[in-house]
Amino acid sequence: MTQVGEGHETAADEAGPVLTFGAPTAGEVLAERYQLEEHVNNDSAGRQVWRGIDVILRRPVAMVLRHPGGDSAVEMLQAAVAASRVIHPNLVGVYDAIDEQDRAYVVREWVDGESLRDLVATEGPLDPARAISIAHSVADALTAVHATGMVHGNVHPGSTLIADDGRVVLADARADAADSTESDVRAVGGILYFALTGHWPHAEVGRSALTDANRDSAGNPAAPRQIRAGIPAYLDDLTMDLLDRRVAAPVSDALTAELGRLDAAAEDEEYEDVGPLRFVQGGSSSSSEPIRSAPKILVGVGALIVIAIIGLIFGIRAINNTGKTTAAGDTPATEPATGADGGAAQEPAPDPQKIKITADMVRMVDPPRGDRLDGDQAKYTVDGDPSTVWETSRYNSARFGNWKAGMGILINLGEKRSLSEVQVTTSAPGATIDVRTGENDPGDTSKGDEKIVKEYKSLKDETPDKSTGTKSYITGFDPNQKYQYVLVFLTELPRAEDGDRFQISVSEIELSGY
């Protein structure tokens, strides 16, 4: 269970080393009040996180301990004292901050639940309504923090906790001089992006760093709708505007209001009817005009002018044509649609759609020295029935006994298509799944399979990471290229459920595209 302290990763803890001297033990009572019950984990700064009991109030608490205390713990203790002044249902409560010189510790609310990081790792990207609800709660918490003049500085999937009762709690404020209210607000865009795609759009280091977003040659993250089908256009625009520093960021209360409006619309599944952005100035400003970057203002004004001119033209024509009749068979001319710049109007980019794949479009690929015994099960990966699976044989090591490169499912779409994502559902996490593409199928033979493995190109330049859940979402398709042959290739297996050697089952493979 992830608790407080699981925030952004840093290269090292500048304040000091991991707690080792005078290491606490279960049952120990600190400050004659807080009894340690269970060591939960170490946070990204190397501090120990414990579940404990306040023996006076008889309530569970989370305790974050570090060694040494004294001057090196001042920043941690000051942040805790500042956070204790803000009371809000979406902020973790801070109860105490104690410096014993040899060690220091902060006592906080214990939240029964899991972090957004762990939730997405287990369940995969969230549906839009749930992503909106979580982001709304985080923005509301930031509004309370910013109202006191403070900055949170650590809005992250690891510090966003989802309680078992559904409450969303933001934990572990850790602001430094580089943080600002704007960086907090833009981090909410990161929370939305991560919840929708399973990728983190901000740079991060450390052993537990989140999976990076897919990026273009300029380093910009791909929009959520390019990665995953079914994300409303408005939510996609909102997320990318929050991440784009060229677009003016709203203040936190304006973002909270906008997400609240979208959250209410999500309950009735009316995403497309929520209208344009309604960010308004917060604080002392009395303006009710939306916050916009200069280019968006000019585009909006230009569009209104074009609409007014078109309306005037049609109005004059209607007056001139009053009393005239149209000869039988005549059809009034239709004016071509125009955009804000006077040119032809651009059609909005279509949403990625799930591509129908049938049994005759898939086959197993098992390169030389493979036994090719499971080929008849390939059809089960596209039949839409999660109870039917393609199951690998058992191997003595995760890398197929170290005597073959792997095995997988080849999909022939029948024609070249623009693709956005592959979704693979497996029986367990821990598999390495490499998606590769090629130009043809050289034949359903051992030699043909060998050629496929040798010549097909992976979507990723680096070695794919092991899956962290049973649903894996693989992206990286070039939007300017079309594909016909896609290979979902397993290169490393998890241990079998009963612990006897290595094996996995694949129940569903889904492709999304245009």
Side-chain angles (χ1 to χ4, degrees):
M1 176 181 295
T2 300
Q3 272 293 327
V4 294
E6 283 292 300
H8 59 72
E9 308 299 338
T10 54
D13 181 5
E14 297 178 358
V18 176
L19 178 66
T20 54
F21 173 77
T25 58
E28 182 179 358
V29 178
L30 305 185
E32 299 181 347
R33 177 169 184 172
Y34 305 109
Q35 180 172 312
L36 299 175
E37 296 287 310
E38 178 187 8
H39 179 212
V40 178
N41 56 22
N42 287 359
D43 74 8
S44 57
R47 299 169 297 194
Q48 288 193 9
V49 182
W50 283 72
R51 178 176 60 82
I53 295 290
D54 182 336
V55 298
I56 295 178
L57 297 180
R58 305 308 301 171
R59 65 180 175 185
V61 294
M63 302 183 65
V64 183
L65 299 92
R66 59 153 292 112
H67 164 77
D71 293 341
S72 63
V74 167
E75 182 179 345
M76 179 185 82
L77 297 172
Q78 286 180 341
V81 170
S84 70
R85 297 169 183 158
V86 187
I87 307 301
H88 191 275
N90 298 120
L91 284 171
V92 68
V94 178
Y95 304 144
D96 214 340
I98 299 172
D99 183 8
E100 295 181 345
Q101 297 302 311
D102 286 337
R103 64 185 175 189
Y105 43 93
V106 173
V107 184
R108 298 175 175 174
E109 174 187 5
W110 174 266
V111 179
D112 283 315
E114 61 184 335
S115 69
L116 177 61
R117 183 212 315 253
D118 292 343
L119 177 65
V120 171
T122 302
E123 299 184 6
L126 309 182
D127 65 78
R130 194 171 188 190
I132 292 166
S133 178
I134 290 173
H136 181 205
S137 297
V138 171
D140 202 15
L142 290 176
T143 297
V145 172
H146 294 172
T148 67
M150 292 170 50
V151 174
H152 189 277
N154 190 26
V155 181
H156 182 277
S159 60
T160 301
L161 307 181
I162 317 298
D164 291 341
D165 62 4
R167 185 168 64 111
V168 177
V169 185
L170 185 59
D172 197 26
R174 203 187 302 174
D176 58 33
D179 294 310
S180 65
T181 56
E182 179 181 341
S183 64
D184 277 352
V185 166
R186 294 200 183 279
V188 178
I191 292 293
L192 273 172
Y193 193 98
F194 180 78
L196 292 168
T197 68
H199 296 267
W200 185 239
H202 301 301
E204 194 174 55
V205 298
R207 61 180 176 80
S208 58
L210 300 175
T211 303
D212 190 28
N214 296 304
R215 302 179 185 274
D216 60 21
S217 57
N220 300 312
R225 273 160 56 100
Q226 293 178 304
I227 297 173
R228 181 182 173 202
I231 296 175
Y234 175 76
L235 182 57
D236 186 85
D237 290 343
L238 173 61
T239 302
M240 295 308 291
D241 277 356
L242 288 172
L243 297 175
D244 189 348
R245 294 191 177 277
R246 297 169 299 178
V247 178
V251 292
S252 54
D253 58 351
L255 177 59
T256 300
E258 179 62 14
L259 285 168
R261 189 169 71 94
L262 189 55
D263 198 1
E267 293 180 0
D268 299 323
E269 298 184 351
E270 296 176 352
Y271 300 107
E272 302 303 334
D273 299 326
V274 293
L277 297 176
R278 294 182 183 176
F279 292 141
V280 294
Q281 296 284 0
S284 60
S285 173
S286 61
S287 171
S288 62
E289 292 300 312
I291 297 175
R292 290 286 189 272
S293 60
K296 289 192 174 184
I297 294 175
L298 294 176
V299 170
V301 172
L304 290 174
I305 293 173
V306 171
I307 292 171
I309 293 173
I310 292 174
L312 180 61
I313 291 173
F314 276 97
I316 293 173
R317 288 184 178 183
I319 294 173
N320 290 339
N321 289 335
T322 301
K324 294 183 180 181
T325 58
T326 302
D330 288 348
T331 302
T334 301
E335 293 294 325
T338 59
D341 59 358
Q346 297 293 317
E347 291 293 330
D351 288 337
Q353 301 294 325
K354 180 180 174 181
I355 297 173
K356 181 175 177 57
I357 305 173
T358 56
D360 60 332
M361 299 166 67
V362 299
R363 73 173 182 85
M364 189 180 73
V365 169
D366 194 7
R369 299 193 64 191
D371 51 32
R372 305 177 62 79
L373 295 178
D374 310 315
D376 60 337
Q377 297 179 5
K379 61 187 177 185
Y380 296 143
T381 64
V382 295
D383 64 358
D385 183 355
S387 66
T388 58
V389 301
W390 167 55
E391 184 177 59
T392 69
S393 299
R394 297 199 175 204
Y395 296 86
N396 292 326
S397 73
R399 296 186 179 275
F400 295 87
N402 298 315
W403 51 267
K404 68 177 179 179
M407 60 194 306
I409 300 295
L410 177 65
I411 303 170
N412 178 1
L413 295 174
E415 61 179 354
K416 291 195 172 185
R417 301 281 300 268
S418 295
L419 302 177
S420 62
E421 177 186 78
V422 178
Q423 177 179 324
V424 184
T425 304
T426 58
S427 58
T432 300
I433 305 172
D434 188 14
V435 174
R436 307 178 184 183
T437 62
E439 295 299 322
N440 58 64
D441 180 359
D444 187 5
T445 63
S446 292
K447 289 185 177 180
D449 290 356
E450 182 181 14
K451 191 172 183 181
I452 285 174
V453 173
K454 181 179 180 180
E455 296 182 358
Y456 274 36
K457 303 296 183 183
S458 175
L459 292 183
K460 300 182 180 296
D461 293 332
E462 68 278 3
T463 302
D465 294 328
K466 290 184 180 180
S467 61
T468 56
T470 57
K471 286 186 180 292
S472 298
Y473 299 83
I474 300 99
T475 58
F477 292 100
D478 185 342
N480 299 315
Q481 184 177 342
K482 293 188 176 182
Y483 306 84
Q484 179 175 344
Y485 296 93
V486 178
L487 173 65
V488 178
F489 199 59
L490 301 172
T491 60
E492 190 168 356
L493 301 174
R495 188 170 290 276
E497 293 182 359
D498 60 5
D500 180 19
R501 297 185 290 176
F502 296 83
Q503 182 185 44
I504 200 169
S505 298
V506 178
S507 59
E508 292 297 320
I509 298 175
E510 299 177 12
L511 265 65
S512 298
Y514 308 94

